[in-house]
Every structure is written in structure tokens, then in C-alpha cells.
């Protein structure tokens, strides 16, 4: 699938452990969660004004925790059950 939905440069990409989801981080400070099967955007997570440099899913089967590293030297942990925010 082709992932369409951002005009910002994608800085990082990560597949979930099952391969069903893809997370992308952009230079505009957003993380997008996509369906790997359909290419449909499932979530948009604002992560501040700094470029997102790294994204990583947890290794759990639930795939509901995401770590995001930004150019401002912060790492944020997001959790799906609370709206992708901790």
C-alpha cells in the first residue's frame, strides 16, 4: 500500500510486531498510525513542534504502546487506550 496523507517529509517508519500497522514520524512533529493492509490512516498524534526522528512500537501483542523520539531530545511514550497519550 501507498501511505498518503502528509505533505511533510517522513523522518522515521516502524512496522508493528504483527506487521498490521505502520507508524510514521514527520518533520512537522506528527506521528501517523496506518493500516499496513489498506494504507488507511488510523490515528494522527501531535507530538509537539520538533521533528520526529524515531518511532517504535512495543513488542506486546496488543501493539498499543508507541515510543517517539524527537529532535528536541525528548522521548514520549504514547498509549492507545488513553487516546495515544501518556
Amino acid at each position: 500500500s501507498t501511505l498518503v496523507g502528509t505533505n511533510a517529509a517522513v523522518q522515521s517508519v516502524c512496522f508493528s510486531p504483527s506487521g498490521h500497522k505502520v507508524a510514521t514520524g514527520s518533520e512537522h512533529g506528527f506521528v501517523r498510525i496506518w493500516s499496513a493492509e489498506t494504507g488507511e490512516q488510523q490515528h494522527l498524534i501531535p507530538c509537539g513542534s520538533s521533528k520526529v526522528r524515531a518511532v517504535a512500537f512495543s513488542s506486546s501483542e496488543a501493539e498499543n504502546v508507541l515510543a517517539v523520539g524527537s529532535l528536541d531530545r525528548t522521548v514520549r511514550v504514547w498509549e492507545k487506550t488513553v487516546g495515544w497519550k501518556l
Side-chain angles (χ1 to χ4, degrees), residues 1 3 8 11-12 14 16 18-19 24 42-43 49 51 55 59-61 64 67-70 80 82 85:
S1 293
L3 308 177
Q11 301 287 311
S12 56
C14 177
S16 66
S18 70
T24 59
Q42 297 177 330
H43 301 282
S49 60
K51 293 179 182 180
V55 291
S59 60
S60 72
E61 289 185 29
N64 61 350
V68 177
S70 298
K80 183 178 180 179
V82 291
K85 195 171 189 177

Side-chain angles (χ1 to χ4, degrees), residues 20-82:
H20 294 296
K21 298 177 186 174
V22 178
T24 59
S26 75
E27 67 180 0
H28 289 161
F30 287 93
V31 170
R32 295 172 192 268
I33 310 265
W34 310 83
S35 164
E37 288 88 18
T38 66
E40 183 179 332
Q41 180 181 304
Q42 297 177 330
H43 301 282
L44 177 65
I45 306 168
C47 296
S49 60
S50 187
K51 293 179 182 180
V52 173
R53 302 294 293 179
V55 291
F57 278 99
S58 65
S59 60
S60 72
E61 289 185 29
E63 300 176 346
N64 61 350
V65 177
L66 187 71
V68 177
S70 298
L71 193 60
D72 64 1
R73 299 181 183 178
T74 61
V75 175
R76 294 176 176 90
V77 178
W78 302 84
E79 210 262 323
K80 183 178 180 179
T81 59
V82 291

